[in-house]
Amino acid sequence: MKFVHHDLDVRTGDSGHVRCEQVPLRAPGGAECAGLHSTRITLDNPRQLNSYTTEMVKDVILAFRRASNDRACVAVVFTGAGNKAFCTGGNTAQYSEYYAGNPEEYRQYMRLFNDMVSAILTCDKPVIARVNGMRIAGGQEIGMACDFSLASDLATFGQAGPRHGSAPDGGSTDFLPLFVGIEAAMQSCTLCEPWSAHKAQRLGLLTGIVPALIVDGQPLPNPLVIVDRWTDEFGRIVHGDWKEGQAKVQGRALLARGTVDLSRLDAEVERLVFKLANTMPGCLSKTLESVRKHKLEHWDRNKESNRAWLALNMLAEGKTGFRAFHEGGKDCREADFLLLRRRLAEGATWSDELTDEAISKARAAASAPQQGGVS
């Protein structure tokens, strides 16, 4: 077996899928502020929806450490390439083909993942998540570790764990209740139904959202989302919920007519960076540390036991779920949950045969291997 290299050393930093750039600090009028900049860290794997490989995780850790120690850096902007995804979590091709069935290897990988989250939470500079698209699974977790989240209103937010053989214990079970409360966090973490950016903002997950769809030269709110009313006829809150029926069909048609323009998102990020620069640096750092303690209290308490469980889970449900996602087709990338539950209730034990049986429907639907990311 050829091992994956999990050490942080001189070989780290060459994944080719993480970009680290200095962006000049600009005043609202556009004038550059000499000698100061923000650092933009970009997950550059758009073909796989910016899912992160092991090498990318190592590159992110080092990028945050460098930005933290950069005296001229006033803030870090963390984002993904393109306009489809911020990040969809761990790279399922690698999960399925290497880590599935190898708990000790996944345990080493999870050390790196935990260090990535901790590198964000302990960065000496404020960290802004620039959410340019899907923020799902592990992408949601590293996004919540950031101090601020500014998003395109076309972005989506959510978890994938229980539907793909894992638990959202890379940060979501720690952080999400702090943002949105226990009930909403429970729904997101267990049902894995994505939220719109409008709903995520309403629930308190985001700093702000901006329109990104341009139709006939004009910016429009996400046409797939209810944004023109707060409640339905029964008084239930519907603002930010997904449209259904004919309204959904019309929304899709409008979306297809438009183009995605993230310039307003970039302008909003630039404004926030400048506001943060206009504070006392030491006082700002101490304030970041004090507010982050609420996240760190839960993260530091649970991250090691969660790492151990997630590693052992790769022998059973993790192995099955990630293989189903990776080997399945566009229309089916999940295990047959009901078959699996029935076979376990009948007394079946975990084996390669049970895994193959549980993912047979996904395999049958596959015209070609699908790749993406979950965590």
Side-chain angles (χ1 to χ4, degrees):
M1 177 179 179
K2 183 178 180 181
F3 288 115
V4 168
H5 183 65
H6 292 106
D7 294 335
L8 283 171
D9 62 18
V10 294
R11 284 179 287 181
T12 299
D14 58 358
S15 72
H17 292 295
V18 175
R19 289 187 279 114
C20 190
E21 306 160 284
Q22 292 183 356
V23 179
L25 178 67
R26 289 185 175 85
E32 290 190 12
C33 303
L36 297 172
H37 59 262
S38 62
T39 297
R40 178 174 288 203
I41 300 172
T42 303
L43 299 170
D44 191 7
N45 187 18
R47 187 177 66 85
Q48 296 178 318
L49 299 175
N50 294 323
S51 59
Y52 43 75
T53 63
T54 303
E55 290 304 311
M56 289 173 66
V57 172
K58 292 189 281 187
D59 287 351
V60 170
I61 294 169
L62 292 183
F64 268 95
R65 289 299 300 271
R66 286 192 293 267
S68 182
N69 290 335
D70 183 349
R71 295 173 179 83
C73 175
V74 299
V76 178
V77 177
F78 193 22
T79 191
N83 58 29
K84 300 295 185 183
F86 168 77
C87 176
T88 54
N91 187 272
T92 55
Q94 190 174 43
Y95 279 15
S96 172
E97 295 169 359
Y98 182 75
Y99 290 115
N102 290 305
E104 290 306 312
E105 291 301 296
Y106 195 67
R107 186 182 178 95
Q108 289 194 18
Y109 164 81
M110 282 304 301
R111 166 68 70 210
L112 289 171
F113 176 87
N114 285 357
D115 287 349
M116 175 169 62
V117 175
S118 295
I120 299 169
L121 286 168
T122 57
C123 182
D124 285 340
K125 308 300 165 60
V127 182
I128 303 166
R130 173 189 175 270
V131 189
N132 53 307
M134 289 184 285
R135 195 173 92 174
I136 303 295
Q140 173 82 305
E141 291 168 332
I142 59 177
M144 286 190 292
C146 300
D147 303 305
F148 305 90
S149 288
L150 294 171
S152 152
D153 78 342
L154 299 177
T156 55
F157 300 80
Q159 299 307 139
R163 295 193 68 84
H164 294 289
S166 188
D169 273 345
S172 285
T173 52
D174 295 308
F175 303 147
L176 196 57
L178 298 175
F179 284 96
V180 303
I182 290 291
E183 291 280 346
M186 189 68 75
Q187 290 177 347
S188 178
C189 287
T190 59
L191 301 179
C192 305
E193 296 172 346
W195 293 338
S196 72
H198 290 272
K199 183 169 183 175
Q201 184 184 40
R202 168 165 65 79
L203 293 175
L205 187 61
L206 305 178
T207 308
I209 61 176
V210 295
L213 181 67
I214 305 297
V215 178
D216 298 330
Q218 297 298 317
L220 295 179
N222 189 335
L224 300 178
V225 179
I226 298 170
V227 298
D228 58 349
R229 64 188 187 278
W230 189 253
T231 64
D232 64 10
E233 64 271 27
F234 301 108
R236 296 173 297 194
I237 298 174
V238 296
H239 188 276
D241 286 353
W242 301 108
K243 292 179 179 178
E244 298 179 348
Q246 188 59 32
K248 179 179 179 180
V249 173
Q250 294 172 348
R252 284 181 170 173
L254 189 59
L255 190 64
R257 283 180 50 206
T259 58
V260 178
D261 180 358
L262 298 178
S263 61
R264 287 175 175 79
L265 177 59
D266 289 326
E268 197 66 23
V269 169
E270 193 171 82
R271 278 192 288 271
L272 179 54
V273 170
F274 187 72
K275 288 180 180 180
L276 291 167
N278 279 276
T279 61
M280 290 289 189
C283 295
L284 177 61
S285 295
K286 178 59 177 73
T287 303
L288 293 172
E289 292 169 358
S290 295
V291 176
R292 287 170 179 168
K293 286 178 182 177
H294 300 280
K295 295 180 187 179
L296 282 164
E297 177 184 357
H298 299 276
W299 175 244
D300 288 339
R301 181 197 305 155
N302 299 317
K303 64 183 181 182
E304 289 307 308
S305 57
N306 286 345
R307 180 172 76 104
W309 183 89
L310 289 165
L312 290 173
N313 184 55
M314 274 298 190
L315 287 170
E317 292 185 359
K319 178 179 181 178
T320 302
F322 290 124
R323 283 188 57 194
F325 188 93
H326 180 55
E327 297 175 27
K330 180 180 179 181
D331 296 326
C332 182
R333 293 196 287 189
E334 297 173 347
D336 189 332
F337 303 122
L338 301 185
L339 180 149
L340 181 59
R341 285 175 176 269
R342 184 173 65 250
R343 294 287 287 117
L344 291 172
E346 292 168 350
T349 57
W350 282 103
S351 63
D352 288 341
E353 290 74 18
L354 180 59
T355 291
D356 288 339
E357 187 178 359
I359 69 175
S360 59
K361 184 185 295 185
R363 279 175 164 172
S367 57
Q370 301 292 311
Q371 296 180 340
V374 294
S375 172

